[in-house]
Amino acid sequence: MSFYEELYKVRDEYNKFQRLEQDYSSYTPLQIIMIFKTLLENYEDEEYNVSINEANQLIALPSDKNSESLKLGINNLYNGDTFYKSMNIVLIFPYSINKYINVSSFQSGMKINYLEDFFTSLVEYRCSNGLSSIKDDKLVDILNEYIDTKKNDIMSYQEQKKKCLDEYVELKKEEKIRDLFNVDKYTLINKVKDFINENYDTNLEIFCDVNEGRQYSDNRYYYLDYYRTIGLKDNDNIVFKIKELSYTAKDDEDAYQPIFCYRESDCVDSNINVYYLEYLMRNLSIKYPKLDGYFCVLDEKYRELLKNSSDVVDSEKIKKLVG
């Protein structure tokens, strides 16, 4: 047999299996809705609204709009591996379903394969039994039997989901706590300087430089960027620095010549998050290991203040804590 004869034979076999796959992957719209609704509600343990809209998109959303459970949206784009609806026939192929699952942040690390697994097993079953079409009552029996045999898997999935959600909630709480711990950067850097000088044989000093950046025009105004760098020096050696937010000066619209001005107060990004500054100072902590202890003490004092507040600590109390 020649090369092309062999190629055509393999291609014919492949086309044959593709046609068979389409035959055993066809459903009515109501059957598709029933399958997705049953699987999602059993695994996710909540009610779902499933529909095929006027644009022939399969949409599956939790009934509770505030739910964090997964969402599904499959477009009507048949390319051999997706989803296709025409008249009263829907084609859907198992191996592409996961591409259209929109998971919430807390579920991003979970393996969500139950939709693909069911459709794969169903196609295999229909193929083995020559069911190019399937009646509703038969499909209900298959679904119920499948759910019954997967009880342990469903329980494990829900336990994993609850664990991931609990961890996610705690993470969000911690992020909120950290996001609120903001103080004047000059005060904090000065305190860091004092701490290092007191605990090590050093004489660090704070420095502050104002720098002129780019100059440009938009045919109406002239602009000039400025930024300020502050940090710590050990003599002439810079051991830490941080660039502040830029300030753009704009000239008077009617001025014949561009007049650039710099108002120092406008180039101030006064507050900084304590945990962010600790992160920026990680190299400084390597050189001065006791600095980690300083930030740990700040963290403990801050959380102590939180115990007697309603999630938000008065800025003056935080200022006193650092100052």
Side-chain angles (χ1 to χ4, degrees), residues 1-14:
M1 186 179 291
S2 70
F3 169 78
Y4 280 105
E5 287 175 332
E6 187 73 25
L7 175 63
Y8 296 149
K9 179 181 177 181
V10 171
R11 188 172 62 186
D12 289 342
E13 281 293 304
Y14 176 76

Side-chain angles (χ1 to χ4, degrees), residues 189-226:
I189 293 175
N190 190 59
K191 287 295 180 180
V192 168
K193 177 206 70 173
D194 291 343
F195 177 85
I196 294 175
N197 286 342
E198 289 170 4
N199 287 274
Y200 294 91
D201 185 21
T202 58
N203 187 28
L204 300 184
E205 294 181 349
I206 288 182
F207 75 91
C208 173
D209 293 328
V210 175
N211 307 94
E212 183 179 304
R214 57 178 184 148
Q215 176 179 329
Y216 56 98
S217 168
D218 63 3
N219 296 323
R220 183 180 180 187
Y221 295 103
Y222 286 88
Y223 299 90
L224 186 61
D225 284 351
Y226 296 93

Side-chain angles (χ1 to χ4, degrees), residues 37 40-41 44-49 61-64 67 69:
K37 185 174 177 65
L40 286 166
E41 290 187 345
E44 301 300 324
D45 195 26
E46 60 181 297
E47 291 186 6
Y48 266 76
N49 295 321
L61 302 173
S63 297
D64 181 359
S67 172
S69 290

Side-chain angles (χ1 to χ4, degrees), residues 29-45:
L30 288 179
Q31 286 176 341
I32 283 293
I33 290 171
M34 179 176 63
I35 292 172
F36 276 96
K37 185 174 177 65
T38 301
L39 292 173
L40 286 166
E41 290 187 345
N42 276 275
Y43 274 86
E44 301 300 324
D45 195 26

